Amino acid sequence: MTLLRRWLGPAVSVVALAAVVYWMVHQPAPQLPDSAAGFSWLALSLGLSLGALALRGYRWHRVMVLADVDHKRTDALALTAVAYMGNNVLPARGGEVLKIAILGTRSASRKREILGSVVAERLLDAVVLAGMFIVLSFGLADSPTGPGTAALFGAVILAGFAALFVYLRLRRSGRFERFAATIRPVARGLRLFAHPSGLPLVGLSILIWVVEGLNLIVIVQSIGLSLSVLDGVLIIVLASLAAAIPAAPGFAGTYDWAMILGLKTAGITGGAASGILILSRFMYFVPATVVGLIVLVTRYGGLSAARRRLQGERRLPVHG
């Protein structure tokens, strides 16, 4: 299993990247911005990328407030950037481990409780992305994967909430006490799925992904093409769901394959699709990586301190 976890992501990325590269070399030269107007659209894209990053930091702050995790709002915002930087350059979503390790040295809460807030945020994103994919797939005539995939996502979500409902009813009757005591520090963050106070976080998550979809529309506009709001959001949702597949750092290959599939369904192919893929790679990943690196160096002790924290987390289980 250790070997599988270590090599599955790189293997998936190699296969997906090979397919993407094979496709790109058989396309015309990528279309890129070549005018002042085009670069102005990219400047707007940069603002949207940083805005979405800030919204994600605020969302993690609200998740930790709901989970009673001791923290400062500034750390939530700063460590969100550090985590995205880490996810883009470290294997196995190492950025999430890094932000748990750093906040664990600055918080009175146990690392299991911090881990619970991270798990809750990731599950929140997964549920919102799946829900948006279902709505947009049935709302658009040309869904990239068809209604069957959307129906499968819907069945998984319903099964998940049904299991949660059954578990909560059994807990109220006194069942699973030992199991509940074991996972309680981690599961505290998951209360947002069973409490009305979690609804604003769902709305905030939807807003984040709408901003990301608008960002793609702006990127497309930078090369003189247009994309509808529904298509832009659906493509980003699809690419983000594909990024959940185990892959090398930066979701290499999986994100790119889904982006090309979505653009093709929206009628953008050839050099235009290649150019948009290159630009989206740059605008979605580079700003967060640069900001995260700057924050890590100036606020949290730099790369050497981060490396020591990661080594410590790998030697020991996450604990209080």
Side-chain angles (χ1 to χ4, degrees):
M1 290 301 296
T2 300
L3 288 175
L4 179 63
R5 287 194 299 267
R6 180 178 300 173
W7 294 109
L8 178 60
V12 170
S13 281
V14 167
V15 173
L17 278 175
V20 170
V21 170
Y22 177 83
W23 175 85
M24 290 187 71
V25 297
H26 290 83
Q27 307 302 315
Q31 291 181 227
L32 298 172
D34 57 1
S35 65
F39 289 111
S40 296
W41 283 111
L42 288 186
L44 177 57
S45 172
L46 175 61
L48 289 172
S49 293
L50 296 177
L53 185 64
L55 287 174
R56 285 190 168 91
Y58 179 74
R59 181 181 62 180
W60 187 38
H61 159 67
R62 293 305 308 168
V63 170
M64 287 193 287
V65 168
L66 189 60
D68 296 324
V69 174
D70 174 61
H71 71 287
K72 294 180 180 179
R73 182 185 300 184
T74 52
D75 279 326
L77 296 172
L79 287 175
T80 296
V82 170
Y84 274 82
M85 180 274 297
N87 288 341
N88 291 338
V89 300
L90 296 173
R93 289 186 177 269
E96 307 293 355
V97 179
L98 185 57
K99 78 176 182 180
I100 293 170
I102 294 176
L103 185 58
T105 64
R106 304 168 69 91
S107 170
S109 297
R110 292 183 292 175
K111 289 181 181 178
R112 287 183 181 181
E113 295 168 341
I114 300 171
L115 170 63
S117 72
V118 173
V119 171
E121 190 184 20
R122 295 282 69 81
L123 284 176
L124 176 62
D125 250 346
V127 171
V128 168
L129 281 170
M132 294 179 70
F133 181 77
I134 294 167
V135 172
L136 291 171
S137 292
F138 284 111
L140 295 174
D142 297 322
S143 172
T145 58
T149 304
L152 177 61
F153 275 116
V156 170
I157 292 176
L158 289 176
F161 277 102
L164 177 62
F165 175 78
V166 171
Y167 171 75
L168 292 175
R169 291 295 298 270
L170 292 174
R171 279 291 300 123
R172 291 192 181 99
S173 65
R175 306 287 183 87
F176 300 116
E177 182 60 38
R178 181 178 298 179
F179 173 75
T182 301
I183 69 167
R184 187 170 291 121
V186 175
R188 186 176 296 169
L190 302 180
R191 66 178 63 173
L192 65 89
F193 292 102
H195 196 276
S197 58
L199 292 177
L201 290 173
V202 173
L204 180 57
S205 298
I206 294 173
L207 173 62
I208 289 170
W209 290 112
V210 169
V211 170
E212 297 285 26
L214 293 175
N215 196 357
L216 180 61
I217 294 171
V218 168
I219 292 171
V220 171
Q221 194 71 43
S222 73
I223 62 171
L225 299 179
S226 61
L227 193 66
S228 72
V229 174
L230 292 179
D231 280 331
V233 174
L234 179 58
I235 292 170
I236 287 300
V237 166
L238 176 64
S240 300
L241 287 171
I245 300 172
F251 322 112
T254 54
Y255 168 90
D256 310 272
W257 165 81
M259 182 68 69
I260 291 171
L261 175 63
L263 290 171
K264 181 179 179 181
T265 304
I268 300 177
T269 58
S274 298
I276 293 168
L277 175 60
I278 294 170
L279 290 170
S280 66
R281 262 286 173 189
F282 188 88
M283 301 310 300
Y284 282 118
F285 291 86
V286 173
T289 301
V290 172
V291 172
L293 181 59
I294 292 172
V295 170
L296 179 63
V297 170
T298 59
R299 185 180 175 93
Y300 298 113
L303 296 175
S304 59
R307 190 178 299 112
R308 288 194 299 271
R309 291 188 179 101
L310 279 175
Q311 290 172 348
E313 292 300 306
R314 286 166 180 163
R315 284 195 298 267
L316 299 171
V318 175
H319 60 283

